[in-house]
Amino acid sequence: MTKPKILITRKIHSQVVDFLNEYCEVEMWSEEQTVMPRETLLKKVTDIEGLYCFISDTIDAELLDAAPQLKVVSNMAVGYNNIDVKACQARHITVTNTPGVLTDTTADLTFALLMATSRRLLEASDYLRKGKWQSWYPTQLTGQDISGATLGIFGMGRIGEALAKRANGFDMKILYHNRHRNEQAEKTLGAMYVSKEELLQEADFVCLLMPYSEETRNFIAKEELQLMKPSAILINTARGGIVNEEDLYDALIQKQIWAAGLDVFEKEPVRLNHPLLRLPNVVTLPHIGSASIATRLNMAKLAAENLVDAVTGKTPKHVVRP
Ligand code: GLV
């Protein structure tokens, strides 16, 4: 029996490719660090049944029209804003993602970014390396306390809950806002449901952990930033477009908020002359929320299992149903 043809748009772990080879005829882009050029991608999808892709690939109607045999788009990520899910549904193409396996790793990174931003770790390290550490003085590189502070979480899903769990260890008060109340988080983690406005006004740390969609685009803009405390810190490990970056820059310059920690940007990779990169009170990371060795392997495996299930007529574990 002929195996279904699939395309992997980046080089992935060899053991995952071995697994895929058992069920599929695999073509893989040989580059690990460079995105497959769009034109090449459009040419390579013409006879495939499965597409194994990443957040750096745009899967839109144009691409789907070039792939008439496509049955499944398997994204190696929990977020899927790079995929036009409606266009896939209209063509009966299954979309899958990789939730669950990256929850703790992403919550760890979110908390690490919160700590690095509030205690000015990168600035302090640079200060030392640039020879500015000439003496010790009482107000030197002072930051904001984490223990006992109020954490506000937008998006109380799996990662939100995992973040709240970490915050409990720091005796933080936990507020959250979500499309639906999460009674489990209220009971087991002591999280309190509040309105968007209340969260912005009360939180010392505002953490964004919600999915990115048309609804959440610019969820944090001028008006929201104005509600935050001058000592507050914004942490975004979800998607860049959730925050209006120009408004954030203005709020930081005008000292409406104290600092920001960003793992994500509206356009990635972020350009080096991006104004937010010039501010000392902004800690920036290159979208590494799920980047632990073990978690990236688990994501790669799960994306492969989802894809194989779909091309062999089974229901994949994680079908995206927005
Ligand atoms: C990473 O950003 C993901 O969505 O998995």
Side-chain angles (χ1 to χ4, degrees):
M1 219 174 70
T2 55
K3 292 178 182 173
K5 275 186 127 182
I6 69 155
L7 175 69
I8 312 174
T9 63
R10 288 272 172 147
K11 189 171 167 204
I12 57 166
H13 309 74
S14 60
Q15 66 261 55
V16 180
V17 181
D18 290 346
F19 166 76
L20 286 165
N21 266 320
E22 286 177 36
Y23 302 92
C24 309
E25 190 186 321
V26 179
E27 182 173 3
M28 180 168 72
W29 178 242
S30 58
E31 302 283 335
E32 189 181 21
Q33 300 193 10
T34 323
V35 189
M36 182 186 274
R38 179 78 180 173
E39 273 171 36
T40 314
L41 180 60
L42 289 175
K43 277 192 203 129
K44 287 192 182 287
V45 295
T46 52
D47 58 350
I48 59 162
E49 291 184 39
L51 180 63
Y52 187 118
C53 61
F54 306 86
I55 53 170
S56 43
D57 299 310
T58 302
I59 311 302
D60 55 12
E62 180 195 31
L63 183 133
L64 301 175
D65 287 341
Q69 312 205 27
L70 196 60
K71 289 190 180 140
V72 57
V73 174
S74 174
N75 213 31
M76 198 194 105
V78 64
Y80 46 82
N81 56 293
N82 57 311
I83 301 170
D84 185 340
V85 179
K86 277 201 188 126
C88 289
Q89 284 172 335
R91 291 162 179 78
H92 305 289
I93 296 168
T94 304
V95 179
T96 64
N97 66 341
T98 61
V101 290
L102 46 67
T103 302
D104 284 321
T105 304
T106 308
D108 287 347
L109 189 278
T110 306
F111 210 81
L113 185 54
L114 180 156
M115 295 184 92
T117 311
S118 57
R119 295 299 302 272
R120 304 169 63 180
L121 296 193
L122 277 77
E123 210 186 328
S125 173
D126 273 0
Y127 178 89
L128 181 154
R129 286 167 186 241
K130 287 185 179 144
K132 294 186 188 164
W133 189 20
Q134 301 298 331
S135 71
W136 183 96
Y137 60 97
T139 57
Q140 187 177 38
L141 290 161
T142 45
Q144 302 289 349
D145 275 321
I146 300 154
S147 294
T150 299
L151 172 67
I153 302 177
F154 281 114
M156 191 54 103
R158 291 183 182 85
I159 303 172
E161 286 179 9
L163 182 69
K165 204 163 141 192
R166 283 147 182 78
N168 273 331
F170 285 76
D171 297 325
M172 296 177 94
K173 176 176 170 187
I174 301 162
L175 307 178
Y176 80 99
H177 184 77
N178 204 38
R179 271 174 304 183
H180 311 289
R181 272 181 85 148
N182 181 337
E183 278 162 25
Q184 169 80 4
E186 293 178 23
K187 260 194 232 126
T188 59
L189 300 162
M192 261 172 55
Y193 181 83
V194 290
S195 67
K196 179 178 179 183
E197 291 69 26
E198 221 174 318
L199 189 152
L200 291 164
Q201 283 162 346
E202 306 256 318
D204 297 306
F205 296 94
V206 173
C207 289
L208 304 176
L209 287 169
M210 71 254 262
Y212 180 44
S213 66
E214 269 314 307
E215 272 168 56
T216 58
R217 189 175 154 68
N218 286 333
F219 181 82
I220 299 292
K222 189 172 174 175
E223 209 178 299
E224 286 75 23
L225 291 158
Q226 275 169 351
L227 290 176
M228 288 172 65
K229 298 181 193 179
S231 55
I233 295 174
L234 180 73
I235 302 292
N236 189 5
T237 49
R239 287 293 184 269
I242 295 173
V243 177
N244 181 307
E245 290 175 351
E246 279 178 28
D247 290 352
L248 175 60
Y249 178 83
D250 291 345
L252 287 160
I253 288 285
Q254 290 158 18
K255 303 205 182 315
Q256 266 165 24
I257 71 167
W258 196 76
L262 307 172
D263 183 41
V264 287
F265 293 85
E266 177 152 24
K267 286 211 173 63
E268 295 179 2
V270 70
R271 55 187 162 82
L272 274 184
N273 63 354
H274 192 300
L276 284 168
L277 268 57
R278 292 201 295 265
L279 303 181
N281 53 344
V282 179
V283 177
T284 52
L285 299 175
H287 202 145
I288 56 164
S290 64
S292 79
I293 296 167
T295 291
R296 285 285 164 85
L297 175 60
N298 288 334
M299 290 166 70
K301 284 182 183 164
L302 185 52
E305 286 162 14
N306 284 334
L307 184 145
V308 167
D309 281 346
V311 293
T312 56
K314 296 192 199 117
T315 306
K317 266 198 216 115
H318 298 291
V319 175
V320 167
R321 291 188 183 91

